Amino acid sequence: MSPLLRATGARQPWQSAHALLLLPVMLIVVITVVDMQAPYNVHLGPALVIAPALTPSFAGPRTTAFVGALAIAAQVLIGVTHGGLGTLNHIVQIITLAVLSVLVVLYSALRERRQAQLAQVRSVAEAAQHVLMWPLPEFIGPLRIASLYLAAEDEAQIGGDLYAATRCENGVRVLIGDVRGKGLSAIGEAALLLGGFRESAHRRIPLPDLAVTLEQSVTRYAAELEPPEEAGERFATALLMEIPDRESVTRMTSCGHPPPLLLSPGHAVSVPSLHPSPPLGVHADSEHTLDVVSFEPGDTLLLYTDGVVEARDARGRFYPLAERVARWTDESPEALMHHVRRDLLAHVGGRLDDDAALIAVHRTAVDRHRHHHGRDALRQGSGRS
């Protein structure tokens, strides 16, 4: 962002607050002038309380106190104009306006404190998300990656959906999963799966064996930390994917997770045929299958959690992910995530009932890994010559 744009953006809140401040001030002026010109038996002074009551909607307690003091001063001026301050009616009006203004200022202070607490909670949640789910690199090996995470809970940016990608020998391994439940209650198990994947993904073990390792972690976690009332209800779906650098395929092992969508140029969308095993934590002795799917340069794999395809609109209709993304098969992963986010939130009316996560993995036409190594070799050769 340019300095000019940053400066313009920084001035906008200040300008907006001062522009809105004109509304209660003008309201006080108009009510005061009209009341002073009105007949003696017409009393508009009590309407002055509207001005301090409006102010907390856009300003803090100090500005609210200023508007309240201005309204009280206007009420005093009206009293002086209409027979003096000694009349019982004007004394009651001034005291009532002062008490109501003090209450409005207290409300504004409590509201500002609450907003500060919410901002702190959101900041902590964002930091926790970055610790739990490291941001995915835009490029990793021959792949271009973009991700999207939408938490169902208003004040949390993390929940039971998870994803990770890591470089392994001659390839990339990707995990996307969904822990039963949502919000903060599912974070512990999500952290367990992510830690187990990052620890084991670098080892030269097949994906089914990696699934067994994660299965053991979930089972052990449930045995040690599962509350008695939730016995047997702790499980997680997961999709493990390995993409070799030198082969136009991807290897997958699904543990009860929805299959990805394969997006090909020309608006072609297909669903790979997988052989999923039960979710992690359901059967400790489950057998996991390795499926091999063609993944050519120019293709994009769209991984997602069930919070995406189970999102409903006002009529109860599920979000048609495959149908919608067919329009964006030629887009970059970043643009694809942008389109899906906007379209999904429009479908549900702006609020999801479950956490939702997506990863778009695009195999580039040029092997970036080989290209960088070749360029480095040329530079070294030029230096020696």
Side-chain angles (χ1 to χ4, degrees), residues 166-308:
T166 184
R167 185 78 180 151
C168 61
E169 186 177 3
N170 299 322
V172 176
R173 285 188 168 181
V174 180
L175 163 70
I176 188 168
D178 185 1
V179 174
R180 180 185 178 274
K182 63 182 180 181
L184 300 179
S185 62
I187 291 178
E189 196 165 348
L192 179 76
L193 285 175
L194 287 169
F197 171 77
R198 291 174 181 140
E199 178 66 23
S200 304
H202 297 281
R203 302 175 186 173
R204 299 182 61 182
I205 58 176
L207 292 185
D209 294 340
L210 178 56
V212 171
T213 300
L214 298 180
E215 178 87 49
Q216 294 171 347
S217 297
V218 172
T219 303
R220 185 167 53 252
Y221 174 87
E224 296 177 355
L225 302 176
E226 185 177 55
E229 63 273 12
E230 296 183 7
E233 297 184 6
R234 289 279 186 177
F235 63 87
T237 66
L239 178 66
L240 297 168
M241 187 170 66
E242 181 180 84
I243 306 172
D245 290 340
R246 304 291 184 255
E247 302 176 56
S248 296
V249 298
T250 178
R251 305 183 183 98
M252 304 183 198
T253 293
S254 173
C255 303
H257 198 82
L261 299 179
L262 180 61
L263 283 57
S264 301
H267 308 287
V269 178
S270 60
V271 181
S273 179
L274 304 183
H275 301 82
S277 58
L280 302 173
V282 175
H283 296 295
D285 56 351
S286 300
E287 293 186 2
H288 304 282
T289 304
L290 182 66
D291 294 297
V292 181
V293 177
S294 175
F295 188 34
E296 299 289 338
D299 290 345
T300 299
L301 278 167
L302 182 61
L303 290 66
Y304 56 91
T305 58
D306 59 7
V308 178

Side-chain angles (χ1 to χ4, degrees), residues 310-341:
E310 293 180 2
R312 297 174 182 263
D313 62 7
R315 299 182 180 179
R317 295 174 298 185
F318 291 116
Y319 180 65
L321 178 64
E323 175 186 332
R324 298 296 177 86
V325 298
R327 296 176 289 179
W328 309 310
T329 57
D330 297 325
E331 299 280 357
S332 67
E334 295 81 4
L336 177 61
M337 292 294 97
H338 172 76
H339 290 309
V340 172
R341 175 190 174 91

Side-chain angles (χ1 to χ4, degrees), residues 1-12:
M1 182 180 295
S2 68
L4 177 60
L5 291 177
R6 285 198 297 267
T8 303
R11 288 197 301 266
Q12 285 178 350

Side-chain angles (χ1 to χ4, degrees), residues 75-90:
Q75 183 65 65
V76 171
L77 180 61
I78 292 173
V80 171
T81 305
H82 287 286
L85 298 177
T87 62
L88 180 61
N89 183 42
H90 289 146

